Amino acid sequence: MKLNDKLFANMRAATKTLMGNGPKAATSVIQEALKVLTPHKSATPRQPAAPAAPRDSVPPMPLAGGPQGVNTAQAGAPPPGPQPQASRPQAPGASHQDQYVKNVVQEATDAFNKLMPDMLAKLDRAGANGHAAFKMPHFDIPGMNGMNGMSGMQGGAASTPAEALPGKFTDGSFTNAAGTRTYKLYVPSSYDGRPMPLVVMLHGCTQDPDDFATGTQMNVLAEEMQCLVVYPAQSMQANSSRCWNWFNAVDQQRGQGEPSIIAGITETVMHNHAVDASQVYVAGLSAGGAMATIMGTLYPELYAAVGVHSGLPFASAHDLPSALAAMKGNFGPQRASGKSIPIIVFHGDKDTTVHPVNGDELIKRGAHNVMQEIIEPGRVPDGHAYTRTVHQTVDGTPQAEQWLIHGAGHAWSGGNARGSYTDGKGPDASREMMRFFQTKREA
């Protein structure tokens, strides 16, 4: 076995024992170990190349974490003040490299044994090229076209394949004058050609269909409740952080931009499969939630109801500054949105990415002309408390439903931890959305 092969094999084995002292100590030991890869032709260490300057001058936004939004640079760190430095092995001669590697690996193992538990899961996601593909904490911001300074989460959400289910999860693509987007469609095993409901799921920033399906568990519910689920995918060409461009003027108009593409994907699925046209729904998270509101507003004849998680109202922004203001809860003049949209809204009251007042505004617009309001507090066993408010029409039909999750941040309530932006301590947003959609079918 070559020296480098042996080193990497030993270091991978050492990494598997990762737990306790903080990433700085581990990084320091690893860097020391990797020095054996540098030729010893000169006593002068090789200096790393200066990083390339970013293409844009926009500073990164502060990253507001959700329930799992842990700053891994601080978690488990030692108290402030001088810390004892671990001794390092002396630089080896060429004839002693094997022993040096052995010593370094042992030291790495000792340090790794003290590292915090969740670092193991993060390093397990290392890419095939040897670079760790760390999964980012649970936050979601509206990355803007070309705004690399705001795309700190780009590539952060590891793509998690949806779990094996008896139905079919297939790829598709749709193109019109506004562009091309791919999508994934889940067809449950019970599909036999008879019309079924269709749910359109719009992911949040940095996510993709597989990740969103895993986190929301909507395919599992599709098997149980016998419906089709389609997941349009935002492209990195359209938005570097894979956010739906809910804040662009062109993407808030019927027949243009991304709304026309999402509507086209919806209609394509309806054309190619037996879908009950009266039972087509759209839902989304964060930027996807904002786009779901746009879809329900612009295409009320296509979508019977809307589900929004941690999203924003229709026409709450028209450019970058107004988008950031809207996320903080500061809305400009509102555009008329037409008739009320049957809507169910979930929002964490500790969401520091999209202010919870956005949920209030969504309900305000969706629940005008309702005759009755029912407030029901509750709590998930060993989880979050919540307040559910149901707005009913004169005949008792729910027109709007709001779930305020107490203590929750910017994450899908009740979601599966294998997907990004999820909080398993909350009520099951996916199941409750499907229940609400069911009431629209029965109305």
Side-chain angles (χ1 to χ4, degrees), residues 263-296:
I265 291 173
T266 305
E267 291 168 340
T268 296
V269 174
M270 295 174 69
H271 179 267
N272 294 337
H273 296 78
V275 173
D276 184 340
S278 67
Q279 299 180 59
V280 179
Y281 313 102
V282 60
L285 169 65
S286 193
M291 186 57 73
T293 306
I294 292 173
M295 297 308 298

Side-chain angles (χ1 to χ4, degrees), residues 241-257:
S241 292
R242 297 188 186 275
C243 307
W244 296 103
N245 292 304
W246 56 274
F247 45 85
N248 287 342
V250 70
D251 296 306
Q252 299 178 55
Q253 299 183 43
R254 182 183 173 97
Q256 298 190 41

Side-chain angles (χ1 to χ4, degrees), residues 107-126:
E107 185 174 324
T109 301
D110 292 341
F112 289 165
N113 278 331
K114 300 176 183 178
L115 276 172
M116 57 188 174
D118 69 333
M119 287 295 291
L120 177 60
K122 293 180 180 181
L123 286 182
D124 276 343
R125 299 189 184 96

Side-chain angles (χ1 to χ4, degrees), residues 121-310:
K122 293 180 180 181
L123 286 182
D124 276 343
R125 299 189 184 96
N129 61 357
H131 295 291
F134 288 160
K135 183 174 179 179
M136 295 296 286
H138 288 204
F139 42 70
D140 195 6
I141 59 175
M144 311 301 171
N145 282 330
M147 307 295 283
N148 289 334
M150 297 186 63
S151 59
M153 297 177 302
Q154 183 174 336
S159 176
T160 307
E163 54 272 274
L165 291 168
K168 296 179 180 179
F169 202 26
T170 57
D171 297 300
S173 178
F174 175 83
T175 301
N176 67 6
T180 298
R181 297 294 186 279
T182 61
Y183 61 87
K184 295 201 74 169
L185 173 67
Y186 187 78
V187 180
S189 58
S190 58
Y191 178 75
D192 59 4
R194 286 177 288 185
M196 280 186 170
L198 170 64
V199 181
V200 180
M201 293 289 288
L202 302 176
H203 62 73
C205 299
T206 77
Q207 296 182 314
D208 61 26
D210 284 315
D211 179 28
F212 200 39
T214 298
T216 62
Q217 295 285 277
M218 197 59 80
N219 291 353
V220 177
L221 287 174
E223 279 293 324
E224 177 184 333
M225 299 185 175
Q226 301 184 5
C227 67
L228 304 167
V229 188
V230 65
Y231 301 83
Q234 178 63 305
S235 68
M236 292 186 67
Q237 289 71 34
N239 186 291
S240 62
S241 292
R242 297 188 186 275
C243 307
W244 296 103
N245 292 304
W246 56 274
F247 45 85
N248 287 342
V250 70
D251 296 306
Q252 299 178 55
Q253 299 183 43
R254 182 183 173 97
Q256 298 190 41
E258 291 174 358
S260 71
I261 298 174
I262 295 169
I265 291 173
T266 305
E267 291 168 340
T268 296
V269 174
M270 295 174 69
H271 179 267
N272 294 337
H273 296 78
V275 173
D276 184 340
S278 67
Q279 299 180 59
V280 179
Y281 313 102
V282 60
L285 169 65
S286 193
M291 186 57 73
T293 306
I294 292 173
M295 297 308 298
T297 301
L298 299 181
Y299 297 89
E301 81 288 353
L302 188 57
Y303 303 103
V306 177
V308 180
H309 203 310
S310 310

